Amino acid sequence: LGPILEKLDEEDDRFTLAKLNTDDDQATAMRYNIRSIPAVKLFVNGEVADEFLGALPEPRVRQWLKDALPSESTRLLEDAAALIDGGDSKTAEAMLEQALEVEPDNADALSMLANLVVFSQPEHALDLAKHASRLDASKYSASQGIETIVDLLARRDSADALPEDAAKAPYIEAL
């Protein structure tokens, strides 16, 4: 198994191979419940994301890595979320667009981008949100929220055509 993992480590820059001598570092072995060797654990953001015990042939290890490692679009989505939390929505928007180039049907990226651009590009946001809700039913509520905002923005833009009334100014302000 060691030579297979070393070979894959050289081929794939999405992970770094680290080996632990459980005899020399029993505390770490106990912390991660390593009771037999080989025990392979994949860490993502400092947490065990997946693991397997025993030796596997190279094709199975390749498939395990493919399934277990975060995709490029997932990484971009996580980075975009961090940027949004930090107040950098423009860079986050570019990252989400990049994630959608890699994976056009990523419902999370579609929904997140829709939320970012709803006030600057309402119709585009509506298209993104509807596409996300078609792919993932859990995005339906967010899609309905985007649709409501787009509708309110359209009403705001046409509110000047309303007849003069005491309620007109507060209505426009509310919109």
Side-chain angles (χ1 to χ4, degrees):
L1 182 61
I4 292 170
L5 291 170
E6 289 166 4
K7 175 183 174 186
L8 296 175
D9 178 41
E10 289 177 17
E11 292 177 7
D12 193 336
D13 64 355
R14 294 179 302 156
F15 77 98
T16 300
L17 178 64
K19 298 179 184 182
L20 173 70
N21 184 325
T22 56
D23 292 331
D24 292 344
D25 193 350
Q26 292 179 5
T28 302
M30 288 176 57
R31 178 178 177 196
Y32 292 104
N33 201 25
I34 299 171
R35 296 185 178 164
S36 65
I37 298 173
V40 178
K41 298 185 183 287
L42 177 70
F43 290 81
V44 176
N45 298 326
E47 300 293 327
V48 176
D50 205 350
E51 60 189 308
F52 69 86
L53 297 173
L56 296 177
E58 184 175 330
R60 294 232 1 240
V61 175
R62 282 184 184 279
Q63 187 61 48
W64 176 77
L65 279 171
K66 180 181 176 192
D67 294 343
L69 286 172
S71 68
E72 175 68 10
S73 60
T74 299
R75 185 191 60 75
L76 289 166
L77 193 64
E78 290 171 355
D79 291 349
L83 287 166
I84 292 167
D85 288 345
D88 187 357
S89 60
K90 280 295 176 198
T91 306
E93 183 179 331
M95 278 192 165
L96 291 168
E97 288 171 354
Q98 189 179 357
L100 289 170
E101 287 175 15
V102 173
E103 189 181 348
D105 289 336
N106 185 317
D108 291 328
L110 289 162
S111 185
M112 193 180 293
L113 183 57
N115 285 317
L116 275 181
V117 302
V118 67
F119 292 104
S120 61
Q121 302 170 53
E123 293 302 321
H124 181 54
L126 185 57
D127 291 341
L128 292 167
K130 285 183 176 181
H131 186 77
S133 70
R134 283 191 297 270
L135 296 168
D136 180 349
S138 72
K139 305 293 183 208
Y140 181 76
S141 294
S143 176
Q144 291 301 108
I146 296 284
E147 189 170 347
T148 299
I149 290 170
V150 170
D151 180 55
L152 291 171
L153 290 171
R155 289 180 190 205
R156 180 191 66 191
D157 293 342
S158 63
D160 288 336
L162 292 172
E164 288 305 318
D165 187 276
K168 181 178 177 180
Y171 177 74
I172 291 172
E173 186 177 337
L175 290 174

